[in-house]
Amino acid sequence: MKKPSRDTISRMSLYLRALQELSKAQASPTISSLGLSRELNISPDQLRRDLWYFGQFGRRGVGYSIESLKNKISEILGLNKRWNICICGMGNLGSALLAYKGFKEQNLNISACFDADPKKIYKKKGGITIYPLEDMKNIIRSSRIEIAIIAAPVTAAQTIVDRLVSCDIKAILNFAPVKLIVSPKVKLRNVDLSTELFNLTYFLSQP
Amino acid sequence: MKKPSRDTISRMSLYLRALQELSKAQASPTISSLGLSRELNISPDQLRRDLWYFGQFGRRGVGYSIESLKNKISEILGLNKRWNICICGMGNLGSALLAYKGFKEQNLNISACFDADPKKIYKKKGGITIYPLEDMKNIIRSSRIEIAIIAAPVTAAQTIVDRLVSCDIKAILNFAPVKLIVSPKVKLRNVDLSTELFNLTYFLSQP
DNA sequence: TTGTGTGAAACTTTTCACAGCC
DNA sequence: GGCTGTGAAAAGTTTCACACAA
């Protein structure tokens, strides 16, 4: 059996979201690969192949049970467990992520925020306390935080990451447009907002 | 000659950023594919192959001129032209994007913002006026806006997009976690923040 | 008949490896 | 010797197409 690609995992997230919507809508208890793929600009073949990496979830002639496939994908993505997350940098982006509904709805729990600004620390935002970087070790240990989001400025990002790594953080989602150096034990994923826009400007510039 | 993939275009953005940093650092006027790739966890073969889609930019035995490759990639990505952009939805995410330095530094110019909230409209933020959706047609035409960013809630996203499409917008970058329906004339790109996190939870759940 | 699961084919992307210029 | 540019091989991904189960 083969290992699913990163793109397959990203599409699994899309399937999950679509299934959650279908589940709320309650139109039918099952859906076919064609029906589900039509919601997403993905071919039904690809959807079936994506699921194939993880097992057999459908019934021939019938399709997939929406509830059961939803739960299965949720489990595959590791969302049957509650994840504790911290956000580093409480500027606009950090605040946006803290307020983002898509996190809470899954098992993604923002447990703490960190900021370097003395004016912000020990204040609460959206029910979460903002701590100074000095408290990081204590908070990450006591709240069992495994994932960190970097929403800090480029200049501060590497320093924060070094601290996170020394706190044995397991994964980092980085929004700062800078290459971070981390120990190979830590899983790092970068999201670069200008890259997404450059894809559009490139496309619009094509003849 | 073949067409570059979307991943190639995304990597081109990374090369551009690295070259801009090298240009500021002024350490040497040239860099090899190995040197540049080392900054980015990309193989030098892949970097050379990515550039191969667009032409010949280096000199054998020497490497690439940092200044000239930087300008060339900038041109390839369509950044030699100034792009006017609007942000729809001035919550935390919209404000974060408005303040994002990575845009202004390229030729990405945020010309207007839109919001439905009467308390926000006709106020300024970061030097940019926030307009009501009713003004969209006028503003987009008069400011020659070609790209829109959706930072609005899921419930409002499709309505806003319909308006944008009727204003002949050329491309949309969507941050709302919902499948948008647009005319095929409009280039749509989606960024889903929870998908990025799910990639991490999936990875951490692997044995 | 409907619609999954999956080998096999087709296509795409990455890596190898080296000829040829600096 | 150093390093690019690029065919060719290898690896990976998507699509085809159909046996088979409901």
Side-chain angles (χ1 to χ4, degrees):
Chain A
M1 215 193 214
K2 299 221 11 253
K3 238 181 53 190
S5 69
R6 232 197 46 207
D7 281 2
T8 290
I9 303 304
S10 295
R11 284 191 298 268
M12 294 298 276
S13 314
L14 294 184
Y15 305 150
L16 178 59
R17 200 175 72 200
L19 287 162
Q20 283 169 337
E21 271 158 37
L22 286 167
S23 170
K24 273 180 213 150
Q26 289 278 7
S28 155
T30 62
I31 188 147
S32 68
S33 59
L34 181 63
L36 185 50
S37 68
R38 260 201 294 246
E39 315 261 305
L40 301 161
N41 310 331
I42 283 172
S43 78
D45 295 303
Q46 185 159 92
L47 167 36
R48 293 207 305 280
R49 179 64 74 192
D50 283 338
L51 296 178
W52 170 85
Y53 288 102
F54 303 102
Q56 301 179 178
F57 309 112
R59 288 210 298 156
R60 295 173 190 217
V62 179
Y64 302 90
S65 150
I66 289 172
E67 281 308 303
S68 119
L69 187 58
K70 187 186 76 175
N71 293 332
K72 206 70 203 168
I73 294 181
S74 193
E75 196 190 315
I76 289 164
L77 293 176
L79 301 172
N80 50 341
K81 153 188 197 313
R82 174 187 159 123
W83 294 94
N84 293 313
I85 298 174
C86 69
I87 299 178
C88 304
M90 268 294 111
N92 280 310
L93 181 59
S95 307
L97 293 166
L98 179 58
Y100 191 68
K101 294 229 176 70
F103 294 160
K104 283 180 216 134
E105 281 168 14
Q106 312 306 331
N107 267 319
L108 304 173
N109 184 249
I110 297 181
S111 316
C113 296
F114 297 98
D115 202 288
D117 182 352
K119 288 198 284 291
K120 289 183 187 164
I121 64 174
Y122 298 126
K123 293 196 174 132
K124 282 202 165 199
K125 199 156 193 177
I128 307 295
T129 306
I130 302 172
Y131 296 99
L133 299 177
E134 290 70 33
D135 292 2
M136 195 180 266
K137 196 152 249 160
N138 284 336
I139 301 291
I140 286 186
R141 296 263 157 96
S142 64
S143 302
R144 309 198 181 292
I145 291 171
E146 295 172 288
I147 301 176
I149 298 177
I150 305 290
V154 166
T155 46
Q158 185 63 57
T159 311
I160 293 172
V161 166
D162 291 343
R163 268 180 187 270
L164 287 166
V165 170
S166 77
C167 296
D168 291 324
I169 201 85
K170 289 190 178 148
I172 295 173
L173 184 62
N174 173 41
F175 285 90
V178 62
K179 191 215 169 183
L180 298 175
I181 295 151
V182 297
S183 131
K185 276 187 268 181
V186 179
K187 172 76 178 176
L188 173 67
R189 199 171 155 86
N190 297 293
V191 180
D192 187 337
L193 302 174
S194 26
T195 295
E196 306 294 339
L197 263 179
F198 292 170
N199 262 283
L200 294 179
T201 58
Y202 167 75
F203 185 87
L204 294 181
S205 306
Q206 290 314 98
Chain B
M1 214 192 213
K2 298 216 16 249
K3 237 181 55 189
S5 70
R6 231 198 46 206
D7 281 1
T8 290
I9 303 305
S10 294
R11 284 192 298 269
M12 294 296 276
S13 315
L14 294 184
Y15 306 149
L16 178 59
R17 201 176 71 201
L19 287 163
Q20 282 168 336
E21 271 157 37
L22 286 166
S23 171
K24 275 181 212 149
Q26 287 278 8
S28 153
T30 63
I31 189 148
S32 69
S33 60
L34 182 62
L36 185 51
S37 68
R38 260 202 295 247
E39 316 260 305
L40 301 162
N41 310 332
I42 283 171
S43 77
D45 295 303
Q46 185 159 92
L47 166 37
R48 292 207 304 281
R49 179 65 73 191
D50 283 338
L51 296 178
W52 170 85
Y53 289 101
F54 304 101
Q56 302 178 176
F57 309 113
R59 288 211 297 156
R60 294 169 190 218
V62 179
Y64 302 90
S65 150
I66 290 173
E67 281 308 303
S68 118
L69 186 58
K70 188 186 74 175
N71 292 333
K72 205 70 203 167
I73 293 181
S74 193
E75 195 189 316
I76 289 164
L77 293 175
L79 301 172
N80 49 341
K81 154 187 196 311
R82 173 187 161 122
W83 294 94
N84 293 312
I85 298 173
C86 68
I87 300 177
C88 303
M90 268 293 112
N92 281 309
L93 181 59
S95 307
L97 293 166
L98 179 57
Y100 192 67
K101 294 228 177 69
F103 294 160
K104 282 180 216 134
E105 282 168 12
Q106 311 307 331
N107 266 320
L108 304 174
N109 184 248
I110 298 180
S111 316
C113 298
F114 298 98
D115 201 288
D117 182 352
K119 287 198 285 292
K120 290 183 186 162
I121 62 174
Y122 298 128
K123 291 192 176 137
K124 282 203 164 196
K125 200 160 193 174
I128 306 296
T129 305
I130 301 171
Y131 295 98
L133 300 177
E134 289 70 33
D135 292 2
M136 195 179 268
K137 197 151 249 162
N138 284 336
I139 302 291
I140 286 186
R141 296 262 158 96
S142 64
S143 303
R144 309 198 181 291
I145 291 171
E146 295 173 288
I147 301 176
I149 298 177
I150 306 290
V154 165
T155 45
Q158 185 64 56
T159 310
I160 293 172
V161 165
D162 291 343
R163 267 180 188 269
L164 287 167
V165 170
S166 77
C167 296
D168 290 324
I169 202 85
K170 290 190 177 148
I172 294 173
L173 184 62
N174 173 41
F175 285 89
V178 62
K179 192 213 170 184
L180 298 174
I181 295 151
V182 297
S183 132
K185 274 188 269 180
V186 178
K187 172 76 178 175
L188 173 66
R189 198 171 156 87
N190 297 293
V191 180
D192 186 337
L193 301 175
S194 27
T195 295
E196 307 293 340
L197 262 178
F198 293 171
N199 261 283
L200 293 179
T201 58
Y202 166 76
F203 184 88
L204 293 181
S205 306
Q206 290 315 98

